[in-house]
Amino acid sequence: MHQPLHGPRISVDTILLSWFAKLKNDDNVIELGTASGAVALILAKRWPHVPVIRAIDIQEDLIKMAKENAAINGLSDRVVFEVGDIRKIHALYPTQSFDVVVVNPPYNDISGSRISPKRNLAISRQGIACTLEDVIKASFYLLKDKGRLYLILRAKRISELCYFLEKNRMPLKRLKVVYPKPGREASVVLVEARRNTGRGACIEPPVYICDESGNYTPELLSAYKIGE
């Protein structure tokens, strides 16, 4: 996999999001903010019977890199990468045209963090190209009724996330909290929300990245395995 030297790179969050998302063979799937394409490509490997996965990013250089990564992995026929702005999603796709949206949105609110001088990092981390609500609104537009949104976000923003989900008729349905190790505060949350469904959420057992000794847990390591 090619990755940008000074931009968004593959991390444990990439792996966790790809592992948490559950696809069906006839799903029409799109990833928003794909960067170098890792999540979309892992999903294509993990769910080989899904015919096509689309993915967009506002940065042309990253889309070029993602296409190269698709070719390297023999997935150019199943993963389609396109340049696109989440804020202008209406110009890109018809409404209610997808069963699944997958997204790792910018972690920080632009008003509450120092903006990176590197534009690629500022777009991926501080949300200078879109806000969290922009992501939720775009997901609602794209999804069919009862369609699923899979998302990973910093745990400290869970209240904000739930507010935007409820505001945009995308109630939370599954929540998995991720901890660096036992006894530490949560680092991120994995969320499944659904378009125009009733309330009622499943709070799943947590994930620990490391155990008390600092070793990676079996559950985390299982997330790296394809087909399991």
Side-chain angles (χ1 to χ4, degrees):
M1 284 282 297
H2 297 310
Q3 302 182 65
L5 184 61
H6 298 296
R9 298 177 64 82
I10 297 171
S11 68
V12 66
D13 294 347
T14 308
I15 304 302
L16 287 172
L17 179 58
S18 306
W19 167 73
F20 182 74
K22 307 300 181 188
L23 306 186
K24 301 174 184 177
N25 291 348
D26 58 348
D27 276 340
N28 200 6
V29 183
I30 186 167
E31 184 196 3
L32 305 181
T34 189
S36 57
V39 170
L41 294 172
I42 293 171
L43 288 175
K45 289 278 191 180
R46 193 179 292 276
W47 304 95
H49 297 296
V50 174
V52 176
I53 295 174
R54 295 187 176 274
I56 66 170
D57 200 282
I58 196 171
Q59 300 178 78
E60 293 185 20
D61 57 330
L62 292 181
I63 288 297
K64 179 181 178 182
M65 186 177 294
K67 290 179 178 179
E68 293 171 353
N69 287 331
I72 290 170
N73 286 276
L75 292 170
S76 296
D77 60 332
R78 292 187 53 229
V79 186
V80 178
F81 292 106
E82 301 169 305
V83 177
D85 187 337
I86 290 172
R87 298 166 299 184
K88 301 175 182 177
I89 201 71
H90 302 73
L92 300 175
Y93 304 103
T95 187
Q96 298 190 57
S97 52
F98 291 91
D99 302 287
V100 174
V101 171
V102 183
V103 59
N104 182 352
Y107 269 9
N108 298 316
D109 183 351
I110 190 172
S111 64
S113 61
R114 187 174 66 85
I115 298 175
S116 171
K118 296 182 174 64
R119 185 173 183 275
N120 283 357
L121 288 177
I123 288 174
S124 64
R125 294 179 182 175
Q126 277 85 33
I128 66 170
C130 70
T131 65
L132 180 58
E133 187 169 19
D134 289 334
V135 170
I136 303 305
K137 286 182 175 180
S139 299
F140 181 87
Y141 172 83
L142 290 168
L143 285 171
K144 303 172 185 176
D145 280 346
K146 299 185 180 180
R148 291 107 64 205
L149 166 65
Y150 295 103
L151 179 148
I152 188 167
L153 193 68
R154 282 192 175 175
K156 68 180 183 180
R157 298 188 72 186
I158 184 65
S159 177
E160 179 186 5
L161 173 62
C162 288
Y163 169 76
F164 287 136
L165 290 173
E166 286 289 328
K167 179 181 176 182
N168 290 280
R169 307 203 308 275
M170 296 269 291
L172 174 71
K173 303 304 290 184
R174 287 172 61 211
L175 174 68
K176 186 179 282 288
V177 184
V178 181
Y179 296 86
K181 62 190 303 185
R184 298 278 297 277
E185 289 187 357
S187 54
V188 298
V189 290
L190 291 157
V191 167
E192 176 187 331
R194 298 197 182 193
R195 185 188 199 271
N196 281 339
T197 59
R199 293 184 176 90
C202 173
I203 310 301
E204 298 186 348
V207 174
Y208 294 97
I209 302 298
C210 296
D211 60 22
E212 293 89 343
S213 301
N215 299 312
Y216 291 130
T217 62
E219 186 174 26
L220 176 71
L221 294 175
S222 71
Y224 282 79
K225 298 177 181 177
I226 300 296
E228 302 199 10

